[in-house]
Amino acid sequence: MANEENESFAVIGLGTFGATIARELARFGNHVLGIDIEEKNVSRLADEVAEAIIADGRDEEALREAGVGSYDVAVIAIGEDLEANILCTMNVKVLGVKTVWVKALSRTHHRILIKMGADRVILPEQEVGQHIAQMLHNPLVHDYVSLGNGFHVVDFRVPEDLDGKRLADVELSDKFDIRCLGLMRGSNFLAGDAGVELATDDKLLLLGRRKDLRRFGDSL
């Protein structure tokens, strides 16, 4: 089904959210099965993924016939219908899919899905909102990734005020409890050595807690 390098994904629910995930996974070379109860959603994606079928995620037998149990990952992207979302999650777990990601509709729904054994529960609006707020709060932060346990990696653009300064002079570790993982200068990656001289628009990859990263941003 999937080749040695890539995984196989069953994406159930092909609205805007699910269809975007399916397309991107397929673009990365993965084997993707798209499933939706609506023919129009399936037809729209049919030429962009390996397989696309009309089926009801609430129907365990239909998912079994589609071979969902043999996929590495199932992504439950059903929105609006809470019952269908939960039943589909239960079905793919019963079918033995090892890794299950599910779109949640609310915090209460999130807790239910976690108790059902979902490996990752996504609250898209909340996660996107947090992402945007982080970048709006500090324009020097180009992007960031949450690692859990309060730690984040941020892509931090070096401002003119730091141009020509050595990384050691910024005192990331001593003053802010932040670690520099390295920096990008154009398309080149440079190690985060203390003696490296910073240049405007370099991108520092910084690891730290949100409050410490914010303190550093606010100090500039």
Side-chain angles (χ1 to χ4, degrees):
M1 185 169 297
N3 61 37
E4 292 182 358
E5 290 78 21
N6 298 316
E7 292 185 294
S8 56
F9 296 85
V11 180
I12 306 173
L14 301 177
T16 302
F17 179 71
T20 300
I21 292 173
R23 285 192 186 97
E24 289 300 297
L25 288 171
R27 188 170 65 84
F28 294 146
N30 299 289
H31 183 104
V32 177
L33 165 65
I35 297 176
D36 197 281
I37 197 171
E38 296 286 345
E39 181 180 1
K40 63 179 182 179
N41 291 341
V42 174
S43 298
R44 189 169 56 221
L45 204 67
D47 295 333
E48 301 183 63
V49 298
E51 299 179 69
I53 65 172
I54 302 169
D56 188 342
R58 296 171 295 186
D59 187 339
E60 179 187 334
E61 190 56 36
L63 297 181
R64 189 187 305 277
E65 290 179 5
V68 169
S70 64
Y71 280 74
D72 298 314
V73 182
V75 181
I76 314 304
I78 298 172
E80 306 299 328
D81 190 336
L82 178 63
E83 178 184 352
N85 181 292
I86 291 174
L87 287 175
C88 186
T89 301
M90 181 178 67
N91 287 337
V92 298
K93 294 292 291 183
V94 168
L95 292 175
V97 179
K98 292 181 180 179
T99 303
V100 180
W101 286 46
V102 191
K103 176 183 178 181
L105 309 180
S106 66
R107 287 188 174 276
T108 300
H109 185 202
H110 184 288
R111 290 195 292 269
I112 293 171
L113 293 169
I114 290 294
K115 289 184 180 296
M116 291 176 64
D119 297 283
R120 172 72 186 269
V121 180
I122 313 155
L123 281 164
E125 291 82 2
Q126 178 179 319
E127 293 187 16
V128 170
Q130 290 174 340
H131 202 99
I132 291 172
Q134 179 75 13
M135 291 185 287
L136 286 172
H137 173 77
N138 192 333
L140 295 175
V141 173
H142 181 260
D143 206 351
Y144 85 104
V145 175
S146 174
L147 302 180
N149 297 323
F151 283 90
H152 297 75
V153 174
V154 301
D155 176 349
F156 187 91
R157 183 178 62 81
V158 172
E160 290 183 7
D161 291 349
L162 297 183
D163 187 85
K165 289 190 175 182
R166 295 184 311 139
L167 188 57
D169 298 333
V170 184
E171 299 181 291
L172 288 171
S173 178
D174 296 338
K175 193 172 180 179
F176 299 100
D177 197 20
I178 293 171
R179 179 181 174 187
C180 179
L181 303 178
L183 65 89
M184 293 296 299
R185 179 167 294 161
S187 59
N188 297 317
F189 178 80
L190 306 177
D193 297 328
V196 67
E197 287 192 4
L198 302 176
T200 303
D201 292 334
D202 280 352
K203 293 180 180 179
L204 294 176
L205 302 179
L206 305 179
L207 169 66
R209 293 180 176 84
R210 177 179 294 179
K211 63 181 179 63
D212 296 321
L213 292 164
R214 181 168 293 175
R215 278 198 306 122
F216 172 59
D218 290 345
S219 72
L220 299 174

